[in-house]
Amino acid sequence: IMAASSAKVVRKENSNHDGADETSEKEQQEAIEHIDEVQNEIDRLNEQASEEILKVEQKYNKLRQPFFQKRSDLIAKIPNFWVTTFVNHPQVSALLGEEDEEALHYLTRVEVTEFEDIKSGYRIDFYFDENLYFENKILSKEFHLNESGDPSSKSTEIKWKAGKDLTKRAGQTPNKAGKKRQHEEPESFFTWFTDHSDAGADELGEVVKDDIWPNPLQYYLVPDMDDEEGEGEDDEEEGLEDIDEEGDEDEGEEDDDEEGEDGEVW
């Protein structure tokens, strides 16, 4: 009788334990469903925030336009402003060969235009004076989303003058004059206009739009480090000359001390 009673107790305890597990799993499932509902609300708010932020960006983009125009007019009064700005920018400078710099001396104006809805892309326009390299007055590169929603780009076809296509001569000759660059010419800056391989990660386009265009003056005013280093070396050389002169004077004094009373040198 006692054995039968024990068996009944065990079965009752197991029954209670299984019930607890079922209740716990049910509560967990309900919690997951509620989390999903809350997450949907968060996503909805994030989407709403993005729409409102976009409206604010569009508003201030329009307000900035007259100031960009005024700045461009003032920059036009400064010779070689843009080539100096590009040479002083560490990332852009690394892309510039010797002849690229020569061609960019004819660059008079740079304009970045974000499309009205901003999200779909932007265009960068480079304005050039008459030059020895190509016929174009304006070179442009445009970034946008294609019909499938993927990023893509297109650009102006450069009409090179005879024998002046810098993209065909890139990397073939040593760079003798560029102190800041490597011994070999980098790939030409102008190959950027023909490269559409990865429009979604176009580093040069992003640097111009997001770093240089908002405030080009900060790069134009960067001091020439080569000049500063040269000045330091000149100062050191002058210091060495002074030391040598002082040394000569000291040696003269020692010679005087070594002279005897009769004027003979011991």
Side-chain angles (χ1 to χ4, degrees):
I1 295 173
M2 290 179 64
S5 298
S6 298
K8 290 181 180 179
V9 171
V10 171
R11 283 197 295 271
K12 185 175 182 181
E13 288 176 352
N14 289 340
S15 176
N16 291 338
H17 183 67
D18 292 342
D21 287 345
E22 290 176 2
T23 302
S24 177
E25 290 178 3
K26 183 178 180 181
E27 289 176 348
Q28 290 178 26
Q29 184 60 37
E30 289 178 350
I32 289 173
E33 292 175 359
H34 288 311
I35 290 172
D36 187 52
E37 292 174 359
V38 172
Q39 191 62 50
N40 288 335
E41 288 300 313
I42 292 172
D43 292 342
R44 185 183 62 80
L45 288 172
N46 288 341
E47 185 176 349
Q48 183 178 344
S50 297
E51 292 175 357
E52 293 185 13
I53 290 170
L54 181 60
K55 290 178 182 178
V56 172
E57 289 179 346
Q58 290 172 330
K59 172 185 176 182
Y60 283 93
N61 192 37
K62 289 181 179 179
L63 292 174
R64 284 191 291 263
Q65 292 311 308
F67 294 98
F68 284 144
Q69 181 63 45
K70 183 176 181 179
R71 188 184 69 185
S72 292
D73 293 342
L74 293 169
I75 287 174
K77 299 179 181 180
I78 304 174
N80 300 323
F81 179 93
W82 285 109
V83 66
T84 303
T85 298
F86 288 160
V87 167
N88 285 343
H89 192 285
Q91 288 172 271
V92 179
S93 179
L95 303 175
L96 298 178
E98 184 179 350
E99 287 197 278
D100 289 333
E101 281 193 31
E102 291 298 325
L104 289 175
H105 275 81
Y106 297 95
L107 178 62
T108 60
R109 193 181 191 96
V110 174
E111 298 285 349
V112 175
T113 304
E114 293 189 84
F115 299 152
E116 189 171 353
D117 62 0
I118 297 179
K119 291 189 297 183
S120 64
Y122 61 96
R123 186 182 71 252
I124 304 176
D125 298 314
F126 297 81
Y127 295 76
F128 288 87
D129 277 340
E130 178 68 29
N131 62 79
L132 304 173
Y133 296 92
F134 43 80
E135 301 289 349
N136 310 71
K137 300 297 183 185
I138 303 174
L139 296 179
S140 303
K141 189 167 185 179
E142 181 177 303
F143 301 86
H144 55 89
L145 299 177
N146 57 28
E147 295 178 356
S148 62
D150 297 322
S152 61
S153 61
K154 61 182 180 179
S155 59
T156 306
E157 180 182 355
I158 303 177
K159 299 177 181 178
W160 296 101
K161 295 183 178 180
K164 293 294 185 179
D165 188 341
L166 301 182
T167 64
K168 291 183 178 179
R169 292 183 291 175
Q172 296 179 2
T173 56
N175 180 5
K176 297 179 181 178
K179 296 180 181 178
K180 298 182 182 180
R181 296 184 297 273
Q182 301 297 324
H183 293 297
E184 296 296 324
E185 285 276 8
E187 186 179 57
S188 175
F189 169 86
F190 292 93
T191 60
W192 175 69
F193 288 95
T194 60
D195 183 6
H196 305 290
S197 59
D198 192 2
D202 191 298
E203 293 184 7
L204 180 55
E206 291 172 1
V207 164
V208 173
K209 180 177 78 74
D210 298 328
D211 191 14
I212 294 177
W213 176 247
N215 184 7
L217 190 62
Q218 64 177 322
Y219 293 106
Y220 176 78
L221 295 176
V222 168
D224 191 324
M225 298 306 294
D226 286 344
D227 290 346
E228 288 191 353
E229 291 173 3
E231 290 174 3
E233 291 172 359
D234 291 342
D235 292 342
E236 289 177 4
E237 290 176 0
E238 289 177 4
L240 290 173
E241 289 176 1
D242 293 341
I243 291 172
D244 291 341
E245 290 176 0
E246 290 176 1
D248 293 342
E249 291 176 0
D250 292 342
E251 289 175 3
E253 291 176 0
E254 290 176 1
D255 291 343
D256 292 342
D257 292 341
E258 292 176 353
E259 290 183 1
E261 292 179 357
D262 55 357
E264 294 181 0
V265 179
W266 295 98

